[in-house]
Amino acid sequence: EALGTIERRSRGLVSFVDAYRTLAKLPQPDARVIEASELLGDIAILARATASGRASGVSVYVEVTPDRLEIVADPDLVEQALVNLALNAVEALAETPEARVILRAYAGPTGRPVVEVEDNGPGLLPEVQERVFLPFFSTKQGGSGIGLSLAFRIARLHGGSLTVDSEPDVRTVFTFRF
């Protein structure tokens, strides 16, 4: 029994070290021009595929204004961050009727691109919103707490920011500003 406990703790420690390594070793962005509609379209396909197993379904929408909005960023890093946000949104909708995720990109007030991932799920309480980007903090059973902190770091590496605004049982919006 003691050896089994030690083995489980060892596996947990290895998982922790792997997660920390992922968070600590992000490469410097290799910025290129990305078509926002293409980027969000690809993420929507993945989100729809993930959501397709749900009996009630999740509708995934893409909104890009202007149609040819471009983002200068590392496509691999930004896609990784946005996929984390979109899949979290889909998972949050497990018990939500008429569930929807909106992937939205637009030019912000300064002309710089903004990407939002919005869902109409249960939302996040204010005390959770304050901690959601901390490494290893998770509200999910068995979650590593790496996805949102990784997305936050990716936004910072691009000279931008990632914020969350949530009204429980109405909407939650993660906003990536470049």
Side-chain angles (χ1 to χ4, degrees):
E1 190 174 304
L3 288 176
T5 300
I6 291 169
E7 180 183 4
R8 281 190 303 281
R9 278 300 311 133
S10 295
R11 274 191 250 124
L13 187 56
V14 168
S15 292
F16 172 82
V17 169
D18 288 343
Y20 184 80
R21 187 176 325 150
T22 298
L23 195 57
K25 289 195 171 195
L26 280 175
Q28 285 301 310
D30 179 17
R32 290 178 256 157
V33 175
I34 309 166
E35 291 269 342
S37 58
E38 185 177 320
L39 174 67
L40 295 186
D42 289 346
I43 293 167
I45 290 168
L46 182 59
R48 287 182 189 115
T50 301
S52 69
R54 289 207 29 202
S56 62
V58 174
S59 298
V60 180
Y61 303 96
V62 174
E63 299 173 359
V64 179
T65 308
D67 293 339
R68 307 271 311 155
L69 181 69
E70 295 179 334
I71 300 169
V72 178
D74 184 308
D76 296 330
L77 290 176
V78 169
E79 183 175 58
Q80 182 175 3
L82 295 175
V83 164
N84 277 333
L85 297 174
L87 295 185
N88 281 353
V90 168
E91 288 178 24
L93 296 168
E95 304 298 321
T96 303
E98 299 180 36
R100 73 177 178 283
V101 174
I102 303 170
L103 306 173
R104 182 182 297 117
Y106 57 92
T110 63
R112 296 185 59 111
V114 176
V115 176
E116 295 178 342
V117 177
E118 178 181 328
D119 71 70
N120 64 331
L124 301 169
L125 296 172
E127 56 271 17
V128 173
Q129 290 179 59
E130 292 173 9
R131 301 175 61 200
V132 78
F133 298 116
L134 295 175
F136 310 110
F137 174 80
S138 180
T139 60
K140 291 192 263 185
Q141 180 79 13
S144 68
I146 292 298
L148 290 176
S149 57
L150 187 64
F152 183 83
R153 290 262 333 269
I154 290 169
R156 298 290 301 266
L157 281 172
H158 284 83
S161 64
L162 179 62
T163 58
V164 63
D165 182 44
S166 185
E167 186 178 344
D169 297 316
V170 176
R171 73 183 199 128
T172 299
V173 182
F174 283 87
T175 305
F176 191 134
R177 290 178 179 83
F178 291 87

